[in-house]
Amino acid sequence: MWRRMMAALGDPNALKDPHAHHHLFNYLIHLNATLIKISANQTLNGNTEIHVPFNLVAGWCLEAEALPSSHRAGKLLALRLLCESTQAQGPGAPSSCNNRLHLAHLNLYQRALHHGLTGEDRSVVDVLVEFAAPRYLSLALDGYSLLLLDFVHASTIVLNSSDMGPSCPRTAAVTFLASLLSLPDGLMSAPMLQPYPHQYNTVSCPDLKEHVLNIVVRVCRREGAAAARCAGACALVAHVCHLLATRTHCERLPAYVTCLLQMLMMKNKTIAKVVSDAVLVLADYTDRIVEMYPGLAEKIIKCICACLAQISHNGGRDNVRPLAGSLLLCLAEFAVRCGPTLLMQQEQDEQTLLLMIFRIKNSKKIIEIDTKITNKSINIMERLSTLRNLTLELNDRVIRLWRHFPFQ
């Protein structure tokens, strides 16, 4: 039925009016998204095609590349539809394991990605980075490693641009780079296409992860978009945790942690709060930090104390309370896991870490913030307890009603 309905429309690329061409592809995107959501929420057989017939739509999207520049808006939407349809998931989606035949066009799709990611049209690069990059690695389509350099090249172009508008997919670019860091090291030696348009020369890039890591560190230090910077911080923490979990010694790991600690001092307290929550994850590896990187755990505690001291001097405004609560929890975790032996060692200024912690903890502003956070937590627990009691009472009344008036 869907094939008949879609075929009745004819070829949308034959529309000479650019506005009509743009409007039709915009409708197809909306229709495709709606049907894929329906498919994902229903227990359908893997061969059921509840989505738009993909082979037909893919042909339209690929043919739209040859249209003149007057149809530019429609061409970008066609490229977006191609990415969303190919990477959709669900029982009836084309990327489902039971529907591999739908990916017969895979070579054409990857060819379009290669030309778009390495081309000079910045709008095409933005569309592909936003709608193809975030899920490209997780789907692991056949031959996906060929385009790793292309996506890294496109992500670098996006991050190096001065465009800070909502149309610039800076967060999506950082998300892709973060996902690439989790790939096996052996995959970096696989053949990859060089990021040159209309060329198909392959090369291996064993140091690709190191290059991506440098980009992520630069994002943490200088990125202007808050969401992208938070994504970079989370990616850096995940990489540090991986190194610690596998006991892989890295000379640059203290520099990575220092970069994260510097982000705690940012004026943007939302970013600082995200970084604080991310640094809290490192507390699970405190024993390995103390063992493999002497002095790093002490540096973390000192930096957290300095952040709390800065908050106490600036006053306990409402916007810093979540950050202060997160930092207090982070400080407590590291202090407990370091143990009394490390905390009682005297530093160069003849004071111990334990004394430094108590001075911060007993400052007036920190006590006020800690008290407010504690009272708020108690209030939430009291409300949850009241809700639980009301639920139990309601259940008792329902049971009594059922006993007096049993349903037949």
Side-chain angles (χ1 to χ4, degrees), residues 28-67:
L28 290 177
I29 288 175
H30 175 72
L31 178 63
N32 185 63
T34 302
L35 294 177
I36 287 178
K37 288 180 181 178
I38 295 174
S39 175
N41 291 328
Q42 291 182 352
T43 55
L44 298 175
N45 186 288
N47 295 324
T48 302
E49 295 184 6
I50 195 170
H51 61 289
V52 178
F54 183 73
N55 292 337
L56 184 59
V57 177
W60 291 343
C61 296
L62 293 170
E63 291 173 0
E65 293 185 43
L67 293 177

